[in-house]
Amino acid sequence: MLVTRFDPFAEIRELEKRLLGAVSVPTVSAEGDKEVVNAFVPSVNTREDENAYVVEVDLPGVKKEDIKVNIDPEKRTLTISGERKFKEEVKKEDYYKIESSYGKFMRTFSLPENVDVENIDAKTEEGVLHITLPKVKKEEKEVKEIPVK
């Protein structure tokens, strides 16, 4: 009978490998070997004021040309997508490690009914994408009295 040593963390390490493999992109290491880096998932902040909803997406290192903002008026969704591209840097003299994530990303948000989809504005500033979703102005209607005849 063969005796094997029990490793309580073996299953967890295997699960971690499979999960990271599902959301990873290949990159090139300093030695030229293929490595795997986790996919880029940008952080998003949302807020609301009396006139609009504001979505701010942290996109450091992403060029304006690599960002797409789409509105689907039928499904009432806002989709932000793009790609942060890997920079081919190699250092051979010293130890070199890359911790930044690269790759394609996509985030989709449901829009409230009171968003004016015709006047949405998007701009980038210092690595942050600012999307302003103006609210439809409610017409305040006065109570009209109907004379009884």
Side-chain angles (χ1 to χ4, degrees):
M1 182 169 143
L2 181 62
V3 178
T4 58
R5 175 167 273 187
F6 175 68
D7 182 1
F9 300 106
E11 289 182 38
I12 293 172
R13 280 195 297 274
E14 181 62 30
L15 177 63
E16 181 182 34
K17 264 199 239 176
R18 291 191 331 197
L19 288 174
L20 288 176
V23 294
S24 60
V25 293
T27 62
V28 179
S29 71
E31 296 82 31
D33 299 330
K34 291 258 180 182
E35 286 185 1
V36 172
V37 177
N38 293 339
F40 176 55
V41 180
S43 300
V44 176
N45 296 321
T46 59
R47 60 185 161 84
E48 174 186 7
D49 62 27
E50 60 188 46
N51 298 320
Y53 299 96
V54 178
V55 178
E56 296 173 337
V57 185
D58 289 336
L59 297 172
V62 179
K63 295 179 183 176
K64 180 172 66 171
E65 302 82 41
D66 295 332
I67 302 170
K68 289 188 170 69
V69 179
N70 296 311
I71 298 290
D72 185 339
E74 289 181 18
K75 294 181 182 177
R76 305 225 23 107
T77 58
L78 165 71
T79 301
I80 304 162
S81 61
E83 182 176 9
R84 183 154 90 176
K85 296 182 179 168
F86 180 73
K87 296 176 185 171
E88 299 287 332
E89 296 181 27
V90 176
K91 284 191 177 183
K92 295 183 180 182
E93 296 172 13
D94 295 333
Y95 178 73
Y96 186 67
K97 182 177 181 180
I98 298 172
E99 292 188 0
S100 299
S101 297
Y102 296 90
K104 294 182 180 185
F105 64 89
M106 182 168 59
R107 302 283 306 261
T108 301
F109 303 91
S110 297
L111 297 175
E113 290 295 322
N114 63 341
V115 170
D116 182 0
V117 294
E118 299 299 321
N119 293 307
I120 294 173
D121 181 52
K123 64 181 178 180
T124 60
E125 184 179 328
E126 296 181 7
V128 179
L129 173 64
H130 299 273
I131 302 172
T132 304
L133 306 153
K135 294 180 180 178
V136 176
K137 304 263 191 256
K138 292 182 181 176
E139 294 180 21
E140 294 188 24
K141 298 178 182 178
E142 295 180 23
V143 177
K144 181 178 177 183
E145 187 175 337
I146 309 290
V148 178
K149 296 181 185 175

